[in-house]
Amino acid sequence: RPAIDSSLSGSERWLGIVLAGGILIHLGYSLLELITQPLFPWDAWNVWAYRAKAWYFDGSLTPMLDSRVWLDTAEPFHYTSTANNYPYLPSLMHLWAALSLGSWHEALINLPVLTCGLGIALGLAGSIRRAGGSVIVSLGMVYLLVSIPLMGVHTSLGGYGDIWLAGFAGTGMTLFLCGLLRKERFLQGAGALLLLAGCLVKVEGTVWLLAALAIYLILRLSAKHLIILMIGAAVFLAAAALTGITSLELPFVGTLGYRDGMLLVPMRSGIEVGPQDVGGAYFWNAFVLNSWHLLWSLVLLATGFIVLRTHGALRKLTLSFLAVFIATQVAIFGLTSQGAWARDFTAINRLP
C-alpha cells in the first residue's frame, strides 16, 4: 500500500496531520528527556547501564558474577550485579552508543531508546495497515499508544530494559497475531523472530514466546487434539510426581521444574509457589490509576464489540489471546511469590 492514501478527503488529511503532530510531540518530549537528563536510578544503575559502563571502561565483555562468587574470587577486573544472569541485549545497546560516540556520556548513551520507541510506533502502524486499516486508523492507534503514560515513561527513561522488551516481544506478538489472522507465513515468521529476540532482553521475553506458542496451538489444533494434549500433560506431571523426578537440568540455562515448594526457572532463583491476593492491585492499576490511561477500558470495549459483532477467525484469535494473556498473569502473579511485585504496583505496571 502507498504510504499516503490519495483517496483521503481534505478533513481526513488535516486529521492525519494533527495525529502525526501529536505523535511527534510525544516523541519529541522523550528526546529532550533523553539528551538532557543523566541516567535515572535504580535498574539503570544496578543492571543495564552499569554493565555497559563496566564493559566500556574495561574494554571487554567482562562477566558479571554472583555476589558470593565475586567475594571469593581473586581475579581482578570482575564485577558483580544484583541481576547478573539477565540477558545482555539492553546493556549492549548502551555500549554500542558509547563506542559510536567515542566516550561515555550519561545522557547520550540513551539515544537508542528513542529509536526503539519510534520502531514500536512504526511497527504498530505497519501492522494495522497490513491488516487492512486506513492511514487515519493507523495514526490514531499509534497516537493512543504513545500517549499512554507508561509508554512515555519508558521511552524517556534511558537505562531500562522494558522498552526493548516491548519493542521485540510486543511488536513480535503483534506481527505474529496479524499473520495468524491473515494466514501469512511471512508475518508469522517475522513475529516469531522478534519474539525470540525478546528472550535476549529479559527473562520475561520467554513468557511472551511461550504465550505465542500457546495461541498458535489453540488456533491450529482441534478441540480433540487440545484435550489429548492436556491429558498428556497431566499424565506427564503425575508420572513426575510419582517418580520423584520433578526438575530437569537444561544445558546452558539451568534448572527447570519444581522442588520443595519452589518453582525452578532457568536463569532465576527459586520462586515460592502459593496463591496470592492480587485482584485489587490489578483493578486499581488497570482501571483507576492513570499509568495505563484508558488502555484496558478500551480493550474491554473492543473485546465486547468483537464478540458481539464479529465471528470466525477474528473472534477466536481475540479470545485466545486474552485467555492466554490472563493465564500468564494469574500464573506469574496470582500463584507465586511474584505476587508481591503486583501488590506494590511495580512489575504489574510494566510486564502486562
Side-chain angles (χ1 to χ4, degrees):
R1 286 173 177 260
I4 300 297
D5 193 338
S6 59
S7 64
L8 290 177
S9 65
S11 59
E12 288 176 328
R13 290 184 181 181
W14 278 111
L15 178 58
I17 292 172
V18 170
L19 289 170
I23 293 167
L24 291 176
I25 288 172
H26 276 284
L27 294 177
Y29 275 123
S30 294
L31 174 61
L32 286 175
E33 290 285 328
L34 289 172
I35 64 176
T36 60
Q37 300 299 317
L39 280 169
F40 190 87
W42 297 92
D43 289 358
W45 289 5
N46 291 338
V47 184
W48 309 114
Y50 165 73
R51 293 192 304 194
K53 194 169 187 178
W55 293 339
Y56 178 80
F57 286 107
D58 198 37
S60 64
L61 300 182
T62 309
M64 295 286 157
L65 305 179
D66 179 85
S67 57
R68 289 166 294 185
V69 176
W70 178 77
L71 285 170
D72 293 335
T73 185
E75 292 286 334
F77 306 114
H78 277 82
Y79 302 90
T80 184
S81 169
T82 54
N84 57 291
N85 288 327
Y86 268 47
Y88 282 178
L89 188 56
S91 299
L92 289 174
M93 294 297 183
H94 293 301
L95 179 62
W96 165 59
L99 291 172
S100 301
L101 291 167
S103 64
W104 182 269
H105 192 287
E106 291 288 315
L108 295 183
I109 59 160
N110 297 318
L111 279 176
V113 171
L114 184 71
T115 66
C116 182
L118 181 60
I120 294 172
L122 292 173
L124 178 61
S127 298
I128 292 171
R129 292 286 281 152
R130 189 65 175 256
S134 67
V135 171
I136 298 301
V137 169
S138 63
L139 285 173
M141 293 301 103
V142 170
Y143 177 78
L144 288 178
L145 174 69
V146 299
S147 66
I148 294 173
L150 270 181
M151 180 70 181
V153 165
H154 286 279
T155 310
S156 304
L157 284 183
Y160 283 71
D162 301 280
I163 188 69
W164 295 105
L165 187 61
F168 287 109
T171 306
M173 179 67 84
T174 303
L175 283 175
F176 188 72
L177 294 178
C178 187
L180 290 177
L181 184 64
R182 296 177 59 84
K183 297 181 180 179
E184 293 188 25
R185 293 189 179 276
F186 171 76
L187 291 181
Q188 294 175 30
L193 285 175
L194 285 171
L195 283 161
L196 283 169
C199 299
L200 303 177
V201 178
K202 296 183 75 173
V203 177
E204 291 84 350
T206 307
V207 177
W208 284 102
L209 179 64
L210 293 176
L213 176 61
I215 295 169
Y216 179 81
L217 291 175
I218 291 172
L219 294 177
R220 292 300 299 268
L221 298 180
S222 64
K224 177 183 176 181
H225 289 134
L226 285 172
I227 292 172
I228 293 173
L229 188 64
M230 288 188 288
I231 292 174
V235 170
F236 175 80
L237 293 174
L242 290 173
T243 59
I245 303 174
T246 58
S247 62
L248 296 172
E249 290 294 333
L250 302 177
F252 306 113
V253 294
T255 306
L256 174 66
Y258 176 82
R259 185 187 304 150
D260 300 326
M262 304 291 287
L263 180 66
L264 306 176
V265 181
M267 297 187 291
R268 293 288 295 271
S269 57
I271 302 173
E272 184 179 350
V273 176
Q276 307 287 323
D277 182 14
V278 296
Y282 269 90
F283 176 77
W284 272 87
N285 279 275
F287 301 110
V288 179
L289 303 179
N290 63 358
S291 297
W292 293 101
H293 207 252
L294 299 175
L295 174 65
W296 299 111
S297 299
L298 292 175
V299 167
L300 288 181
L301 288 172
T303 303
F305 179 84
I306 289 171
V307 170
L308 294 174
R309 301 294 299 272
T310 67
H311 56 83
L314 178 59
R315 178 194 286 183
K316 188 175 182 180
L317 178 70
T318 302
L319 294 178
S320 299
F321 170 74
L322 287 177
V324 171
F325 170 73
I326 292 171
T328 63
Q329 301 304 297
V330 171
I332 294 171
F333 295 113
L335 298 177
T336 75
S337 57
Q338 298 292 108
W341 298 99
R343 290 191 298 272
D344 66 7
F345 293 6
T346 51
I348 193 181
N349 240 348
R350 296 176 284 123
L351 300 188

